[in-house]
Amino acid sequence: MKFEHRAVPIVLVAVLIDVIGFGIVMPVLPALVTELGHVGLDDATRIAGWMLAAFAIAGFFAGPVLGNLGDRFGRRPVLILSMIAFAIDYALMAAAPSLAWLFVGRVIAGIAGATFGPASAVIADVTPPEKRSAVFGLVGAAFGVGFILGPALGGISAGLGLRAPFLIAAICAALNAVVMFFFLPETLAQENRRPFRWSDAHIIGAFRPLFHAGNAGPLLLAWFFWQLAGTVYPSTWSFWAAIRFGWDATAIGWSLAYVGFLTVLVQALLTGRVIKRVGERNAALIALGCASFTLFAYAFIQQGWQVYAFFLIGAFGAFAYPALNGTLSNMVGPSHQGALQGGVSSMNNVAAILGPLIATQALAAGSHHGFDGAAFLVAGALMAIAALIIALFVHLRAPEPEPAPE
């Protein structure tokens, strides 16, 4: 597709490199936690849940701050500095001598990871409202490509040692910072900037523009349940696959790469067409319905090949992000896009605090009692609730004008 601004492909590449860095460490996390903690897989799952919660708590507080800093000083400096922090974080984790250091690394990553808000704001800055859903779909495709390359590289590089994927991730993040420093232009015009106020730099202030958009409440609630359910994948997939199927880091890496491959196909080939044909609301319902069905299926499957078969349906869940995010971004004006995306990032982090704790505790408790599919059962129910909220209470309409920036 033709991009509206040269910043868009640069941000997409930055997201791609970011996700490669994140995905590359996922296959080795179960073995690393069990090694450093001297525990079995069940206990390692619980520990990983708290580790992910620490990551999310840091991002929860950092998201609105970085979003509002982006609205004040521009997107470029915020993104570059955060990528440098990511590189330092992965290098720290590569050398971590204990679980405590892994937790420190996750806190740093949580702060740096809140840059997804400013990255989304770049797209909102330079893309007309009617085209944002399609471009946000490309962000999802970049995530998918990252989850093809990242876990595959993680599974392969694990043969060099459990720390090797973290070193590669550090290099990816550093390259990300270099690319943005030399090639990413500033996209926020001076006339659209606004003063930084701490009263706005929290989740309440970040969502203030949405409180006056009549139908935003149910949509945000559905978004929250969708995010809450989705945390089951990053928080439990590696541990669940090791427990249920006995997969090693390489098998886990290839399964995640397959998930990313299908996500890319859906996002790149179908998302824009489906949203254009059926509308954002119906696309979201299709996505949540397919995702919920697949989660319920994963709770009960017993053979590894079934993971690959059922995700042929689950991949259509990729429609949800562009459909919902495109609608939300159209509800506010240009001077509040950073605040909006920072607030969305923080709401995602609320889900990311609760979700991994719910999912990992369910997996560990269920596994202890002979049913290691409990986490996916809970996630499927949450995803179904999100779909029900949209079906009953969300009626998407044309964006309403925002007041002029202060």
Side-chain angles (χ1 to χ4, degrees), residues 22-50:
F22 177 78
I24 204 171
V25 304
M26 291 179 67
V28 300
L29 194 57
L32 185 61
V33 174
T34 55
E35 177 185 287
L36 292 179
H38 306 289
V39 295
L41 276 175
D42 286 359
D43 289 333
T45 301
R46 298 181 191 273
I47 293 170
W50 287 107

Side-chain angles (χ1 to χ4, degrees), residues 159-304:
L160 302 175
L162 294 179
R163 309 304 179 103
F166 291 94
L167 290 174
I168 297 174
I171 294 171
C172 287
L175 288 174
N176 200 341
V178 170
V179 168
M180 287 192 292
F181 181 82
F182 285 104
F183 299 107
L184 180 65
E186 181 54 62
T187 59
L188 183 64
Q190 287 289 341
E191 61 270 19
N192 287 328
R193 299 189 185 190
R194 60 190 179 89
F196 178 86
R197 291 190 296 263
W198 284 106
S199 60
D200 291 332
H202 53 75
I203 191 168
I204 303 300
F207 278 119
R208 189 173 294 135
L210 289 183
F211 293 159
H212 303 290
N215 66 339
L219 184 59
L220 289 171
L221 184 61
W223 180 293
F224 178 74
F225 280 109
W226 164 60
Q227 286 288 307
L228 196 65
T231 60
V232 73
Y233 287 109
S235 61
T236 68
W237 182 273
S238 297
F239 295 90
W240 170 75
I243 293 170
R244 177 165 289 191
F245 306 119
W247 286 355
D248 60 11
T250 301
I252 293 169
W254 286 118
S255 70
L256 289 168
Y258 171 79
V259 167
F261 174 71
L262 288 187
T263 300
V264 168
L265 289 182
V266 170
Q267 291 283 16
L269 301 180
L270 297 178
T271 297
R273 293 183 174 91
V274 170
I275 291 177
K276 184 177 180 180
R277 175 176 287 272
V278 306
E280 291 173 328
R281 177 178 180 274
N282 289 333
L285 287 173
I286 292 170
L288 297 176
C290 290
S292 179
F293 172 82
T294 304
L295 289 167
F296 282 128
Y298 283 165
F300 299 103
I301 62 174
Q302 296 298 323
Q303 298 182 40

Side-chain angles (χ1 to χ4, degrees), residues 295-320:
L295 289 167
F296 282 128
Y298 283 165
F300 299 103
I301 62 174
Q302 296 298 323
Q303 298 182 40
W305 67 265
Q306 294 172 323
V307 168
Y308 291 85
F310 278 105
F311 200 77
L312 291 171
I313 298 172
F316 293 105
F319 296 158

Side-chain angles (χ1 to χ4, degrees), residues 46-70:
R46 298 181 191 273
I47 293 170
W50 287 107
M51 196 177 295
L52 288 169
F55 172 91
I57 290 170
F60 172 75
F61 290 104
V65 174
L66 294 186
N68 279 274
L69 285 173

Side-chain angles (χ1 to χ4, degrees), residues 308-351:
Y308 291 85
F310 278 105
F311 200 77
L312 291 171
I313 298 172
F316 293 105
F319 296 158
Y321 171 75
L324 298 179
N325 200 23
T327 302
L328 287 174
S329 71
N330 289 341
M331 291 180 177
V332 300
S335 66
H336 285 82
Q337 287 295 334
L340 164 70
Q341 296 295 342
V344 169
S345 176
S346 282
M347 185 172 67
N348 293 347
N349 277 297
V350 173

